Amino acid sequence: MPVARPKPKPPISCCEYWVAGICLCFWAAVIFFAWYSFGTEAARFSNEIAAINKKIADNPGVTKHTDALQQLGAEQKRAYASAWVLMFLAIYGCYLAIRQAHMDIHTPLALTALLMNQFMLYITAGFRVGTSPWCNPHNTASYNRPLMSASHMFFIFSFFLAFVQIIMGFMRDALRERQRVVNQAFR
């Protein structure tokens, strides 16, 4: 019995390469924000915890320092968790950006589910960056006005990229067919 040959995969369009590259730059920026969060928030809490530990060592009978230490420990864990969430979102986003450029999905339900997953990923990452501690003017320790402006622009850009990913997902077959025709014309 003859074996049917699989249909050759159409070439990836130039537009898909550009969008994947821009998305990888977006996720690199998310990694920067995650490392910045590690370096500022988590390190600041580490320094404050070390100062309180020194006070506890100097005054072993005072309990107000232990209460402050417990509260700072919880805030430090929250800061680390926030930074790790951004890091995870960035790694997963890089994977999806590369995967979307190289995938060929023929099932509409699977395509729609993947595009909605990506849409929510971009919006979540943009929201996390746009509402980070350096954007809070009441947090004097980590408030940074230029970084706050960049974070808010980043948040707006995440909406743009989310919609571009959806449009690219639904136009993938047409773009790849057009690229196949162009490639044949240059042969």
Side-chain angles (χ1 to χ4, degrees):
M1 175 171 234
V3 177
R5 288 188 169 185
K7 184 177 166 184
K9 184 177 177 186
I12 298 170
S13 69
C14 182
C15 188
E16 286 179 287
Y17 278 124
W18 274 99
V19 169
I22 291 170
C23 291
L24 287 175
C25 292
F26 174 86
W27 293 114
V30 172
I31 289 175
F32 161 76
F33 284 117
W35 279 112
Y36 184 81
S37 183
F38 274 125
T40 57
E41 285 295 300
R44 179 177 64 89
F45 288 121
S46 295
N47 294 338
E48 290 179 17
I49 288 173
I52 290 176
N53 279 333
K54 185 177 180 199
K55 288 180 183 178
I56 290 174
D58 293 343
N59 302 322
V62 180
T63 59
K64 70 177 180 177
H65 296 304
T66 57
D67 294 338
L69 183 65
Q70 288 175 349
Q71 183 177 355
L72 275 177
E75 289 178 11
Q76 182 187 29
K77 288 177 186 173
R78 204 171 313 130
Y80 275 126
S82 176
W84 276 113
V85 164
L86 277 177
M87 189 66 70
F88 170 75
L89 289 174
I91 292 169
Y92 186 55
C94 286
Y95 164 72
L96 283 180
I98 293 170
R99 181 176 180 223
Q100 184 176 9
H102 295 284
M103 74 179 168
D104 198 22
I105 294 181
H106 298 292
T107 309
L109 183 62
L111 177 66
T112 304
L114 187 62
L115 291 176
M116 291 312 298
N117 184 358
Q118 279 189 319
F119 182 81
M120 294 305 296
L121 182 70
Y122 279 98
I123 300 304
T124 303
F127 182 78
R128 294 288 303 158
V129 169
T131 60
S132 293
W134 53 82
C135 296
N136 184 2
H138 302 295
N139 185 358
T140 57
S142 56
Y143 176 66
N144 188 338
R145 189 180 213 79
L147 196 59
M148 179 190 74
S149 296
S151 297
H152 290 169
M153 292 303 290
F154 193 80
F155 177 57
I156 294 168
F157 188 62
S158 72
F159 274 95
F160 171 73
L161 271 181
F163 284 112
V164 166
Q165 287 290 344
I166 288 176
I167 292 167
M168 288 291 294
F170 287 122
M171 292 183 59
R172 178 174 292 114
D173 291 337
L175 288 170
R176 289 187 178 181
E177 181 60 30
R178 185 175 298 152
Q179 187 67 37
R180 186 186 62 76
V181 170
V182 168
N183 287 352
Q184 283 181 347
F186 283 121
R187 285 187 185 174

